[in-house]
Amino acid sequence: MTNFRLKETHPDTISTTMIKKWLFILFWGFISIATCYSENEPSISIGTEAPDFSVADTLGNTINLHKYKGKYVLMEFWASWCGDCRKEIPAMKAFYQDLYKKYDGKIVFLGISFDHNAEQWKNLLRKEKMPWIQASNLQPWKTNPIAQAYGLHWIPSLFLVGPDGKILASAITVAEMKTKAETIFKAQKKVLYQH
């Protein structure tokens, strides 16, 4: 019987090969995440006229995007069955409260749901108490003409539309939209504070 003795190494010693392996894994992990993230971004271009649509709110009233021309519109495309959308609800509520306090009357929040079950959608709205306008055409998002017009590949997706009706920013997280919106609002302070 032969005894094999493994080479002993000091626990604080890390080989160059091991470092290279970890750097390789980290690099490709970062590339994979960045690729997935960019593939989820909407394909409609910033600066494009925001496509108009007609949807019904929770009371059956018709909501048209063009009705809000002259104001900023923050749109969130989402669905009650979407896990990522539901995770974003607390952040979206905080974002709403923050912007509502700062720019009351200058910005409209509009939630467009891709739910196709009205009761499920309305139950979640009651449970979560989201105070902004909620509307839906009750069509699934992958075949929904609104989703197609905005080039959506992922929900949630958020858009900031300017008073002129053009898309100023898009994002797939509230945190990302908050950063973009703050930058835009700082640059356009004059428009926001006109009376």
Side-chain angles (χ1 to χ4, degrees):
M1 187 183 239
T2 308
N3 286 336
F4 291 100
R5 184 173 173 163
L6 297 174
K7 182 180 174 186
E8 291 182 30
T9 59
H10 191 276
D12 293 336
T13 307
I14 299 174
S15 72
T16 305
T17 306
M18 183 63 83
I19 291 171
K20 287 179 181 177
K21 285 180 184 177
W22 279 107
L23 287 174
F24 178 80
I25 290 168
L26 288 172
F27 172 76
W28 284 109
F30 175 76
I31 295 298
S32 297
I33 290 169
T35 302
C36 286
Y37 183 77
S38 66
E39 288 174 357
N40 292 335
E41 286 286 320
S43 57
I44 195 168
S45 300
I46 303 303
T48 303
E49 185 81 22
D52 197 14
F53 51 79
S54 287
V55 288
D57 69 10
T58 55
L59 300 174
N61 301 313
T62 301
I63 303 292
N64 300 92
L65 181 60
H66 74 265
K67 171 182 167 187
Y68 301 108
K69 240 182 186 170
K71 295 184 179 193
Y72 289 90
V73 179
L74 189 101
M75 293 187 297
E76 177 194 29
F77 294 100
W78 72 291
S80 67
W81 48 260
C82 166
D84 288 334
C85 301
R86 290 174 78 144
K87 285 180 203 169
E88 289 284 300
I89 290 172
M92 191 67 176
K93 286 163 113 175
F95 189 33
Y96 170 82
Q97 291 299 330
D98 182 46
L99 290 182
Y100 185 79
K101 286 177 191 172
K102 288 181 185 173
Y103 310 117
D104 183 24
K106 303 286 184 186
I107 186 166
V108 174
F109 272 65
L110 184 56
I112 305 298
S113 172
F114 294 125
D115 277 279
H116 47 277
N117 180 319
E119 200 54 40
Q120 182 179 342
W121 169 53
K122 290 178 182 179
N123 283 341
L124 183 72
L125 292 175
R126 280 189 286 273
K127 177 184 171 195
E128 293 293 343
K129 298 177 173 73
M130 294 185 274
W132 56 93
I133 301 165
Q134 294 289 336
S136 180
N137 60 7
L138 297 175
Q139 295 179 30
W141 80 279
K142 291 198 176 189
T143 58
N144 195 303
I146 299 170
Q148 292 169 357
Y150 280 84
L152 301 183
H153 304 288
W154 187 260
I155 55 173
S157 284
L158 297 100
F159 289 86
L160 180 62
V161 178
D164 61 355
K166 293 187 178 175
I167 296 171
L168 298 174
S170 68
I172 59 173
T173 66
V174 173
E176 181 190 6
M177 179 53 78
K178 185 175 182 180
T179 300
K180 290 178 178 182
E182 286 171 354
T183 302
I184 290 166
F185 292 154
K186 281 179 187 172
Q188 298 190 7
K189 230 177 203 175
K190 190 168 71 174
V191 175
L192 284 164
Y193 291 108
Q194 287 177 348
H195 293 289

